[in-house]
Amino acid sequence: MSKKRVLSGIQPTGKLHLGNLIGAIENWVELQGEYDCYFFIADLHALTSNYDDPKNLAADIRQATIDLVSAGLDPRKCVIFKQSDLSQHCELDVLFSMITPLSWLSRVPTYKSKIEELKAKDLSTYGFLGYPVLQAADILIYKADFVPVGRDQLPHIELTREIARRFNYFYGDLFPIPQDLLTQFPTLPGTDGRKMSKSYNNTIALSDSPEMVRKKVSAMITDPARIKKDDKGHPEVCSVFEFYKVFAKDGADAVAGECKKAERGCVACKKEMGDILVKYLEPINKRRTELLKHPDRIDKLLKDGAGKAAKVAKKTLAQAKKKMGLL
Ligand code: TRP
Ligand code: SF4
Protein backbone atom coordinates (compact mmCIF):
# COMPACT_ATOMS: atom_id res chain seq x y z
CA MET A 1 0.00 0.00 0.00
CA SER A 2 1.28 3.45 -0.78
CA LYS A 3 2.16 5.79 2.04
CA LYS A 4 -0.40 8.23 3.35
CA ARG A 5 0.31 11.84 2.53
CA VAL A 6 1.14 14.50 5.10
CA LEU A 7 1.22 18.23 4.41
CA SER A 8 1.92 21.27 6.51
CA GLY A 9 3.13 24.84 6.13
CA ILE A 10 4.76 27.49 8.25
CA GLN A 11 4.75 31.25 7.83
CA PRO A 12 8.16 32.84 7.35
CA THR A 13 8.11 35.31 10.21
CA GLY A 14 11.84 35.64 10.76
CA LYS A 15 14.01 33.31 12.75
CA LEU A 16 12.35 30.10 13.86
CA HIS A 17 12.52 29.54 17.58
CA LEU A 18 12.35 26.80 20.19
CA GLY A 19 8.56 27.10 20.33
CA ASN A 20 8.33 26.34 16.59
CA LEU A 21 10.78 23.48 17.00
CA ILE A 22 8.91 21.79 19.82
CA GLY A 23 5.42 22.70 18.61
CA ALA A 24 5.81 21.74 14.98
CA ILE A 25 9.13 21.05 13.36
CA GLU A 26 10.29 18.14 15.51
CA ASN A 27 7.00 16.50 14.73
CA TRP A 28 7.54 17.06 11.01
CA VAL A 29 11.02 15.59 11.24
CA GLU A 30 9.54 12.45 12.75
CA LEU A 31 6.81 12.19 10.15
CA GLN A 32 9.12 12.54 7.16
CA GLY A 33 10.39 8.98 7.55
CA GLU A 34 6.97 7.43 7.76
CA TYR A 35 4.75 9.36 5.38
CA ASP A 36 4.81 10.94 1.95
CA CYS A 37 5.51 14.44 3.29
CA TYR A 38 5.11 17.91 1.80
CA PHE A 39 6.28 20.87 3.89
CA PHE A 40 6.25 24.43 2.66
CA ILE A 41 6.98 28.03 3.50
CA ALA A 42 3.64 29.86 3.47
CA ASP A 43 4.93 33.13 2.04
CA LEU A 44 1.59 34.17 0.56
CA HIS A 45 -0.05 33.70 3.92
CA ALA A 46 2.62 35.93 5.45
CA LEU A 47 1.58 38.65 3.00
CA THR A 48 -2.05 38.55 4.14
CA SER A 49 -1.12 40.41 7.31
CA ASN A 50 2.23 41.89 6.27
CA TYR A 51 1.35 43.30 2.87
CA ASP A 52 2.32 46.80 3.98
CA ASP A 53 5.87 45.86 4.84
CA PRO A 54 7.38 43.14 2.68
CA LYS A 55 10.94 44.39 2.75
CA ASN A 56 12.17 41.50 4.91
CA LEU A 57 10.05 38.81 3.31
CA ALA A 58 12.65 37.46 0.88
CA ALA A 59 15.24 37.22 3.66
CA ASP A 60 12.69 35.65 6.00
CA ILE A 61 11.81 32.97 3.45
CA ARG A 62 15.47 32.10 3.16
CA GLN A 63 15.92 32.10 6.91
CA ALA A 64 12.92 29.80 7.40
CA THR A 65 14.27 27.39 4.80
CA ILE A 66 17.68 27.30 6.45
CA ASP A 67 16.07 26.81 9.86
CA LEU A 68 13.84 23.96 8.68
CA VAL A 69 16.67 22.07 7.05
CA SER A 70 19.01 22.71 9.98
CA ALA A 71 16.33 21.41 12.32
CA GLY A 72 16.34 18.12 10.44
CA LEU A 73 13.95 18.29 7.51
CA ASP A 74 15.73 16.31 4.86
CA PRO A 75 15.02 17.12 1.21
CA ARG A 76 15.77 13.49 0.41
CA LYS A 77 12.98 12.34 2.71
CA CYS A 78 10.32 15.01 2.15
CA VAL A 79 9.34 17.68 -0.35
CA ILE A 80 10.27 21.19 0.85
CA PHE A 81 9.08 24.16 -1.17
CA LYS A 82 7.84 27.68 -1.14
CA GLN A 83 4.13 28.27 -1.60
CA SER A 84 4.36 31.14 -4.10
CA ASP A 85 6.46 28.99 -6.47
CA LEU A 86 3.35 26.89 -7.05
CA SER A 87 0.83 29.01 -8.96
CA GLN A 88 -1.56 26.05 -8.75
CA HIS A 89 -2.28 26.90 -5.10
CA CYS A 90 -3.60 30.29 -6.24
CA GLU A 91 -5.62 28.84 -9.07
CA LEU A 92 -7.30 26.32 -6.82
CA ASP A 93 -7.87 29.14 -4.31
CA VAL A 94 -9.85 31.03 -6.97
CA LEU A 95 -11.88 27.94 -7.83
CA PHE A 96 -12.67 27.39 -4.15
CA SER A 97 -13.58 31.05 -3.75
CA MET A 98 -16.53 30.40 -6.08
CA ILE A 99 -18.09 27.93 -3.66
CA THR A 100 -17.12 29.36 -0.27
CA PRO A 101 -19.91 31.36 1.40
CA LEU A 102 -18.75 34.59 3.02
CA SER A 103 -20.52 33.57 6.22
CA TRP A 104 -18.15 30.58 6.59
CA LEU A 105 -15.18 32.93 6.49
CA SER A 106 -16.34 35.64 8.83
CA ARG A 107 -17.17 33.08 11.51
CA VAL A 108 -13.72 31.43 11.54
CA PRO A 109 -12.54 32.22 15.11
CA THR A 110 -9.00 33.17 14.04
CA TYR A 111 -10.43 35.85 11.75
CA LYS A 112 -11.83 38.06 14.48
CA SER A 113 -9.15 37.27 17.05
CA LYS A 114 -6.29 38.11 14.70
CA ILE A 115 -7.89 41.41 13.70
CA GLU A 116 -8.25 42.19 17.39
CA GLU A 117 -4.66 41.15 18.12
CA LEU A 118 -3.17 43.16 15.25
CA LYS A 119 -5.29 46.26 15.78
CA ALA A 120 -2.61 48.53 14.38
CA LYS A 121 -2.97 46.89 10.96
CA ASP A 122 -5.75 47.25 8.48
CA LEU A 123 -6.84 43.67 7.97
CA SER A 124 -10.16 44.50 6.36
CA THR A 125 -8.85 43.05 3.12
CA TYR A 126 -10.08 40.44 0.71
CA GLY A 127 -6.80 38.51 1.09
CA PHE A 128 -7.03 38.31 4.85
CA LEU A 129 -10.66 37.16 4.81
CA GLY A 130 -9.64 34.54 2.27
CA TYR A 131 -6.71 33.24 4.33
CA PRO A 132 -8.37 29.90 5.14
CA VAL A 133 -9.51 29.38 1.54
CA LEU A 134 -5.90 29.61 0.40
CA GLN A 135 -4.98 27.23 3.20
CA ALA A 136 -7.66 24.79 1.98
CA ALA A 137 -6.13 25.02 -1.50
CA ASP A 138 -2.65 24.32 -0.03
CA ILE A 139 -3.94 21.17 1.60
CA LEU A 140 -6.35 19.84 -1.00
CA ILE A 141 -4.14 20.40 -4.04
CA TYR A 142 -1.96 17.58 -2.66
CA LYS A 143 -4.97 15.54 -1.52
CA ALA A 144 -3.29 15.34 1.87
CA ASP A 145 -4.55 12.70 4.28
CA PHE A 146 -3.06 14.31 7.38
CA VAL A 147 -2.22 17.86 8.36
CA PRO A 148 0.01 18.23 11.44
CA VAL A 149 -0.88 21.53 13.12
CA GLY A 150 -1.23 23.20 16.49
CA ARG A 151 -4.60 23.65 18.17
CA ASP A 152 -4.98 27.22 16.87
CA GLN A 153 -5.21 25.89 13.31
CA LEU A 154 -8.08 23.47 13.86
CA PRO A 155 -10.77 25.88 12.60
CA HIS A 156 -8.84 26.19 9.32
CA ILE A 157 -8.69 22.44 8.92
CA GLU A 158 -12.40 22.19 9.63
CA LEU A 159 -13.09 24.80 6.96
CA THR A 160 -10.87 22.86 4.57
CA ARG A 161 -13.04 19.80 5.16
CA GLU A 162 -16.19 21.83 4.53
CA ILE A 163 -14.82 23.17 1.26
CA ALA A 164 -13.76 19.67 0.18
CA ARG A 165 -17.22 18.28 0.96
CA ARG A 166 -18.96 21.11 -0.84
CA PHE A 167 -16.76 20.69 -3.91
CA ASN A 168 -17.31 16.92 -3.95
CA TYR A 169 -21.05 17.45 -3.55
CA PHE A 170 -21.35 19.97 -6.40
CA TYR A 171 -18.97 18.45 -8.92
CA GLY A 172 -18.41 14.83 -7.90
CA ASP A 173 -15.80 13.21 -5.67
CA LEU A 174 -12.32 14.56 -6.06
CA PHE A 175 -10.92 15.52 -2.68
CA PRO A 176 -10.31 13.16 0.22
CA ILE A 177 -11.35 14.68 3.57
CA PRO A 178 -8.14 15.58 5.41
CA GLN A 179 -7.56 14.93 9.09
CA ASP A 180 -5.63 17.05 11.51
CA LEU A 181 -2.71 15.51 13.38
CA LEU A 182 -2.82 17.60 16.48
CA THR A 183 0.59 18.32 17.97
CA GLN A 184 0.28 17.05 21.51
CA PHE A 185 2.85 19.40 22.86
CA PRO A 186 1.92 22.13 25.35
CA THR A 187 3.03 25.60 24.28
CA LEU A 188 6.51 26.55 25.36
CA PRO A 189 6.80 29.73 27.42
CA GLY A 190 9.08 32.49 26.21
CA THR A 191 11.76 34.19 28.25
CA ASP A 192 9.14 36.45 29.85
CA GLY A 193 6.74 33.66 30.82
CA ARG A 194 4.17 34.39 28.10
CA LYS A 195 3.80 32.01 25.15
CA MET A 196 7.02 31.98 23.09
CA SER A 197 6.19 34.06 20.06
CA LYS A 198 7.95 36.36 17.67
CA SER A 199 5.38 39.07 18.31
CA TYR A 200 6.22 39.11 22.04
CA ASN A 201 9.93 39.37 21.41
CA ASN A 202 10.59 36.62 23.96
CA THR A 203 12.01 33.86 21.80
CA ILE A 204 15.13 31.78 21.82
CA ALA A 205 15.93 31.37 18.14
CA LEU A 206 17.34 28.16 16.68
CA SER A 207 20.08 30.31 15.20
CA ASP A 208 21.01 32.13 18.42
CA SER A 209 24.65 31.70 19.35
CA PRO A 210 25.46 29.63 22.46
CA GLU A 211 26.34 32.86 24.29
CA MET A 212 23.01 34.39 23.34
CA VAL A 213 21.10 31.27 24.44
CA ARG A 214 22.84 31.31 27.83
CA LYS A 215 22.26 35.01 28.23
CA LYS A 216 18.56 34.77 27.43
CA VAL A 217 18.04 31.86 29.82
CA SER A 218 19.89 33.62 32.62
CA ALA A 219 17.53 36.58 32.25
CA MET A 220 14.38 34.44 32.46
CA ILE A 221 11.78 35.16 35.08
CA THR A 222 11.49 32.35 37.64
CA ASP A 223 9.23 31.82 40.64
CA PRO A 224 8.51 35.37 41.85
CA ALA A 225 8.14 34.09 45.44
CA ARG A 226 11.80 33.10 45.55
CA ILE A 227 13.57 36.22 46.59
CA LYS A 228 16.29 34.64 48.67
CA LYS A 229 18.03 31.42 47.78
CA ASP A 230 16.57 29.61 50.83
CA ASP A 231 12.96 30.54 49.97
CA LYS A 232 11.21 27.33 48.97
CA GLY A 233 10.41 27.28 45.23
CA HIS A 234 7.27 26.52 43.20
CA PRO A 235 8.47 24.91 39.99
CA GLU A 236 4.91 24.71 38.66
CA VAL A 237 4.84 28.50 38.18
CA CYS A 238 8.39 28.77 36.83
CA SER A 239 9.06 28.99 33.07
CA VAL A 240 12.55 27.61 33.50
CA PHE A 241 10.98 24.49 34.95
CA GLU A 242 8.76 24.23 31.86
CA PHE A 243 11.99 24.06 29.90
CA TYR A 244 13.21 21.22 32.13
CA LYS A 245 10.03 19.30 31.40
CA VAL A 246 10.71 19.61 27.68
CA PHE A 247 14.46 19.52 27.30
CA ALA A 248 15.52 17.43 30.32
CA LYS A 249 12.49 15.22 30.94
CA ASP A 250 14.34 12.59 32.96
CA GLY A 251 15.89 15.07 35.34
CA ALA A 252 12.78 17.23 35.82
CA ASP A 253 11.43 15.45 38.93
CA ALA A 254 14.72 15.79 40.74
CA VAL A 255 14.93 19.48 39.80
CA ALA A 256 11.40 20.07 41.12
CA GLY A 257 12.22 18.30 44.38
CA GLU A 258 15.37 20.33 44.95
CA CYS A 259 13.60 23.55 44.03
CA LYS A 260 10.75 22.92 46.47
CA LYS A 261 13.20 22.25 49.29
CA ALA A 262 15.31 25.28 48.41
CA GLU A 263 18.23 22.99 47.70
CA ARG A 264 18.70 24.53 44.27
CA GLY A 265 19.20 28.18 43.49
CA CYS A 266 17.69 29.84 40.44
CA VAL A 267 20.98 31.17 39.14
CA ALA A 268 22.52 27.71 39.05
CA CYS A 269 19.30 26.19 37.76
CA LYS A 270 19.23 28.61 34.84
CA LYS A 271 22.89 28.11 34.11
CA GLU A 272 22.30 24.37 33.89
CA MET A 273 19.34 24.92 31.55
CA GLY A 274 21.49 27.19 29.37
CA ASP A 275 23.97 24.34 29.00
CA ILE A 276 21.20 21.86 28.23
CA LEU A 277 19.79 24.07 25.47
CA VAL A 278 23.17 24.78 23.93
CA LYS A 279 23.75 21.05 23.76
CA TYR A 280 20.28 20.45 22.35
CA LEU A 281 20.88 23.00 19.60
CA GLU A 282 24.34 21.74 18.74
CA PRO A 283 23.41 19.39 15.89
CA ILE A 284 21.09 22.06 14.48
CA ASN A 285 23.93 24.58 14.58
CA LYS A 286 26.24 22.15 12.91
CA ARG A 287 23.87 21.56 10.01
CA ARG A 288 23.32 25.29 9.66
CA THR A 289 27.04 26.02 9.47
CA GLU A 290 27.40 23.34 6.82
CA LEU A 291 24.46 24.68 4.81
CA LEU A 292 25.68 28.26 4.98
CA LYS A 293 28.94 27.20 3.39
CA HIS A 294 26.96 26.45 0.24
CA PRO A 295 24.34 29.20 -0.03
CA ASP A 296 23.33 28.13 -3.54
CA ARG A 297 22.06 24.85 -2.10
CA ILE A 298 19.18 26.66 -0.49
CA ASP A 299 17.84 28.00 -3.79
CA LYS A 300 18.39 24.67 -5.45
CA LEU A 301 16.62 22.84 -2.69
CA LEU A 302 13.53 25.05 -3.02
CA LYS A 303 13.59 24.77 -6.79
CA ASP A 304 13.81 20.99 -6.69
CA GLY A 305 11.06 20.88 -4.09
CA ALA A 306 8.82 23.07 -6.23
CA GLY A 307 9.44 20.75 -9.18
CA LYS A 308 8.32 17.71 -7.22
CA ALA A 309 5.31 19.49 -5.72
CA ALA A 310 4.25 20.77 -9.15
CA LYS A 311 3.82 17.22 -10.46
CA VAL A 312 1.06 16.56 -7.95
CA ALA A 313 -0.38 20.08 -7.94
CA LYS A 314 -0.77 20.25 -11.73
CA LYS A 315 -2.58 16.96 -11.83
CA THR A 316 -5.07 17.90 -9.11
CA LEU A 317 -5.67 21.34 -10.61
CA ALA A 318 -6.46 19.82 -13.99
CA GLN A 319 -8.92 17.44 -12.35
CA ALA A 320 -10.61 20.29 -10.47
CA LYS A 321 -10.84 22.44 -13.60
CA LYS A 322 -12.34 19.56 -15.50
CA LYS A 323 -14.94 18.95 -12.83
CA MET A 324 -15.85 22.65 -12.91
CA GLY A 325 -16.29 22.68 -16.66
CA LEU A 326 -13.12 24.58 -17.53
CA LEU A 327 -11.48 21.78 -19.46
N1 TRP B 1 -1.92 28.91 8.74
C1 TRP B 1 -0.77 28.12 9.12
C2 TRP B 1 -0.10 28.78 10.34
O1 TRP B 1 -0.13 29.98 10.49
C3 TRP B 1 0.23 28.02 8.02
C4 TRP B 1 -0.34 27.28 6.85
C5 TRP B 1 -0.65 27.78 5.62
C6 TRP B 1 -0.67 25.89 6.82
N2 TRP B 1 -1.14 26.81 4.81
C7 TRP B 1 -1.18 25.64 5.51
C8 TRP B 1 -0.60 24.85 7.75
C9 TRP B 1 -1.62 24.37 5.15
C10 TRP B 1 -1.07 23.59 7.38
C11 TRP B 1 -1.56 23.34 6.09
O2 TRP B 1 0.48 28.08 11.13
FE1 SF4 C 1 12.63 27.73 38.60
FE2 SF4 C 1 14.86 26.33 38.93
FE3 SF4 C 1 14.42 28.58 40.33
FE4 SF4 C 1 13.00 26.41 40.84
S1 SF4 C 1 15.21 26.63 41.09
S2 SF4 C 1 12.20 28.47 40.65
S3 SF4 C 1 12.78 25.52 38.81
S4 SF4 C 1 14.69 28.42 38.12
Side-chain angles (χ1 to χ4, degrees), residues 7-11 40 42 45 83 131 135 138-139 147-149 152-153 156-157:
L7 169 131
S8 197
I10 190 162
Q11 285 196 36
F40 68 95
H45 279 110
Q83 183 186 32
Y131 184 114
Q135 185 161 347
D138 295 336
I139 296 169
V147 188
V149 284
D152 63 310
Q153 292 295 312
H156 295 166
I157 310 300

